[in-house]
Amino acid sequence: MTGKYITFLFFFLSVICFGQNYKAVDTADYVQRKSFLTTFNNNNDAFIRKVRSDYSGKGGAQLARIYKEFGADFEKQVKNKDFIFKSEFDASIKSLIARLRKNNTKVPQDLKILIARDNTPNAYCLADGTFVINMGLYNWLANEEQIAAVISHELGHKIDGHSFKAFVAIIEQNEVDKITLQNIKTTTEARSQSLNQKAFDIFKNRVYKKGAERRLHEMQADSLGYTIFKSGDFKKGDFVNALQRLQDFDTISPNQLKMETYKKFFDLPKQAFNDKWMKKEDFSLYNYNFYKEKLSKDSLASHPEMDKRIERLKKIFPELKTAVEPGTPSEAYLALKKTARMEILPNYFHSEDYGLGIYTCLQFLQDGEEEPYYKGWLGRCFAKIYEARKNYNLNRYLDRVEPKGQSESYQQFLNFMWNLSLDEVKNIADYYQPHAPIKES
């Protein structure tokens, strides 16, 4: 949760201050959710029957079980209101898909749109044609052309059936591994270190193979996706621009939370700021790379490095060699971008990422954005942290410090949060609760 989730929050276009008048996205969509689930379950059941018909024996049974379990899990997400229906996002995406479909007969006709309450810039397409777009894409990408580029890439995965092929490959590899491991057990005399090393070699080779297959699928989806994209009369260079923006999501470090920010918002009338809250743990003696060094980082990457993907696209499609500026976003897109930004905190709250919500609130407050709005969310999140601390389950909602996988700023924040006592957390929650008068810090 801690890395990519916090990376993209700090580089958006500035927005007009309208928080006090902002109306949250409506999630009172029981009728739409019920209708969607009826169609989804029927389609998933039909797909499972087809799998059992096309793949006999144990392999078919395993595939059927995978899709049945996935269907049940996805149904829970829908019932949990992890998606929104019939929103302004929905209409915009349908319009983009219509443009992509106009000159592309391969684009499925039965696509159904879901907008996920997820702040990461991602999208995916399910076996039944359900297309999921994360709200976070609108925070990260510059215009609707880049949204269309991501949709085109995912359509490439859908048309080539990559997810299904991956499941088949996993099942087939499982059978090979079982036979290989059994042979090791029956033929190896020195069963201690030698056996362990051979087992690890099997695991390593299997992971590398999966990584290579996924990288191939990503590059195939890039090529097919661009073919779909350019025939939809979009600005061709924005396909590459979208990939470069997603590369930034993987690589840019977040802004630093300043000490002054902590002192400004946590030096309260009834609770003075305490420098001890900022004390850090010493992790210098821990070796977090003990196992990681055994595996090649490049081989394990499921997505090829973005520059290699871009280089390959430019080699196949020479018109992409010339860099172009991103197209100007429409007013409609900027409105969606504003909505997505204002939904960042409601989305984190919905997913129970309360610690991350507090960190994000402080970033926005540090930049002077929508103080009443974000102070209110600061209070809500601290109230949930208080409940969790009181019930001894804080680990569910607040990360522990992991020096090898977190920015220094986020580590400092986590130390601050874990250093607070129960009463101190409650005092902060009470001060910033939205029902209480909001005072200037």
Side-chain angles (χ1 to χ4, degrees):
M1 178 179 75
T2 60
K4 293 183 178 179
Y5 277 67
I6 61 179
T7 315
F8 72 97
L9 300 175
F10 320 117
F11 300 91
F12 304 154
L13 297 173
S14 59
V15 295
I16 298 173
C17 292
F18 70 124
Q20 294 182 10
N21 300 318
Y22 176 70
K23 185 179 180 181
V25 171
D26 184 14
T27 57
D29 45 22
Y30 173 77
V31 174
Q32 291 91 340
R33 279 186 285 123
K34 183 178 179 181
S35 174
F36 170 83
L37 282 175
T38 298
T39 302
F40 173 80
N41 288 329
N42 289 340
N43 290 343
N44 199 49
D45 289 343
F47 185 79
I48 290 171
R49 288 194 296 271
K50 185 177 185 305
V51 166
R52 293 299 301 266
S53 173
D54 293 346
Y55 292 83
S56 59
K58 187 181 296 185
Q62 289 180 318
L63 282 169
R65 186 172 68 252
I66 286 172
Y67 280 98
K68 185 175 181 179
E69 291 175 354
F70 169 79
D73 182 67
F74 194 73
E75 181 176 1
K76 289 179 182 177
Q77 294 179 48
V78 173
K79 289 181 176 179
N80 191 46
K81 299 185 179 181
D82 290 353
F83 308 96
I84 58 175
F85 294 82
K86 304 297 183 183
S87 68
E88 59 268 38
F89 294 96
D90 184 88
S92 174
I93 292 165
K94 283 182 177 178
S95 175
L96 293 176
I97 290 178
R99 287 177 63 182
L100 293 170
R101 185 183 286 126
K102 188 175 181 181
N103 297 313
N104 289 285
T105 57
K106 290 183 178 181
V107 177
Q109 296 291 325
D110 60 344
L111 294 177
K112 295 167 287 296
I113 309 301
L114 280 183
I115 308 301
R117 301 186 63 179
D118 190 320
N119 293 324
T120 54
N122 199 9
Y124 54 94
C125 193
L126 308 182
D128 76 318
T130 298
F131 213 105
V132 178
I133 303 289
N134 285 2
M135 204 178 289
L137 277 173
Y138 286 83
N139 286 320
W140 194 245
L141 299 182
N143 53 43
E144 47 267 271
E145 309 261 334
Q146 293 180 16
I147 297 287
V150 173
I151 293 173
S152 300
H153 173 88
E154 295 305 323
L155 284 172
H157 282 306
K158 165 68 176 172
I159 292 167
D160 277 352
H162 288 158
S163 63
F164 182 76
K165 290 176 182 177
F167 285 142
V168 172
I170 289 171
I171 290 171
E172 291 175 346
Q173 189 62 43
N174 281 341
E175 293 304 310
V176 172
D177 289 348
K178 287 178 183 177
I179 295 172
T180 304
L181 286 171
Q182 185 59 41
N183 289 339
I184 290 174
K185 290 178 180 178
T186 56
T187 59
T188 303
E189 295 180 0
R191 293 197 172 191
S192 56
Q193 186 173 356
S194 177
L195 178 59
N196 289 337
Q197 182 59 46
K198 289 188 177 183
F200 181 80
D201 288 342
I202 292 172
F203 163 74
K204 181 175 64 176
N205 291 333
R206 178 178 176 183
V207 171
Y208 286 175
K209 181 179 179 181
K210 286 182 181 178
E213 290 171 350
R214 287 194 294 265
R215 290 195 298 276
L216 176 61
H217 287 169
E218 290 301 319
M219 288 186 170
Q220 290 172 342
D222 283 341
S223 298
L224 179 54
Y226 176 68
T227 301
I228 295 170
F229 178 83
K230 70 175 182 178
S231 62
D233 197 28
F234 291 98
K235 187 177 180 179
K236 298 180 179 64
D238 262 324
F239 192 92
V240 170
N241 290 337
L243 294 182
Q244 289 173 332
R245 287 297 294 158
L246 295 174
Q247 181 183 35
D248 290 343
F249 174 74
D250 285 333
T251 58
I252 291 179
S253 297
N255 285 347
Q256 300 292 306
L257 266 185
K258 301 173 183 177
M259 180 66 70
E260 293 76 17
T261 301
Y262 289 97
K263 292 182 177 179
K264 177 180 179 180
F265 293 103
F266 299 116
D267 187 18
L268 308 181
K270 296 182 179 180
Q271 181 171 282
F273 184 84
N274 189 338
D275 289 330
K276 291 182 179 180
W277 293 340
M278 308 308 292
K279 183 180 178 181
K280 296 181 181 179
E281 295 181 66
D282 182 9
F283 287 91
S284 60
L285 298 179
Y286 287 0
N287 182 4
Y288 288 93
N289 289 321
F290 182 74
Y291 294 104
K292 292 181 182 178
E293 290 175 356
K294 286 178 172 285
L295 300 173
S296 163
K297 187 175 182 180
D298 290 337
S299 297
L300 287 175
S302 60
H303 285 57
E305 289 189 20
M306 203 65 78
D307 55 353
K308 293 180 181 178
R309 290 169 59 182
I310 292 172
E311 181 182 346
R312 183 176 181 274
L313 276 172
K314 290 180 177 180
K315 185 176 181 180
I316 299 174
F317 305 101
E319 68 269 24
L320 295 177
K321 290 182 178 179
T322 303
V324 298
E325 291 295 317
T328 303
S330 67
E331 290 297 322
Y333 183 81
L334 290 177
L336 293 176
K337 197 175 184 73
K338 291 176 184 177
T339 298
R341 185 176 180 83
M342 299 303 289
E343 288 295 314
I344 288 173
L345 264 298
N347 288 346
Y348 280 140
F349 196 81
H350 171 76
S351 61
E352 299 184 336
D353 291 322
Y354 306 126
L356 190 53
I358 293 170
Y359 186 69
T360 304
C361 279
L362 291 173
Q363 286 282 357
F364 286 140
L365 290 168
Q366 178 172 274
D367 293 339
E369 287 194 41
E370 306 288 354
E371 284 211 0
Y373 183 74
Y374 290 115
K375 283 181 177 179
W377 281 109
L378 195 65
R380 291 184 181 97
C381 290
F382 262 103
K384 290 295 185 180
I385 292 293
Y386 171 71
E387 292 177 11
R389 187 73 169 268
K390 189 169 61 174
N391 295 324
Y392 302 100
N393 61 353
L394 186 55
N395 281 315
R396 290 179 55 187
Y397 311 107
L398 183 66
D399 294 323
R400 286 288 187 179
V401 178
E402 297 177 7
K404 299 298 182 181
Q406 298 163 340
S407 70
E408 289 185 16
S409 176
Y410 191 60
Q411 290 178 53
Q412 176 64 84
F413 165 75
L414 293 175
N415 278 289
F416 164 76
M417 291 296 296
W418 284 103
N419 287 338
L420 292 169
S421 70
L422 181 64
D423 287 341
E424 289 167 341
V425 171
K426 185 178 187 303
N427 289 336
I428 295 171
D430 289 345
Y431 181 77
Y432 284 112
Q433 279 289 287
H435 56 73
I438 295 187
K439 305 174 184 178
E440 291 300 319
S441 300

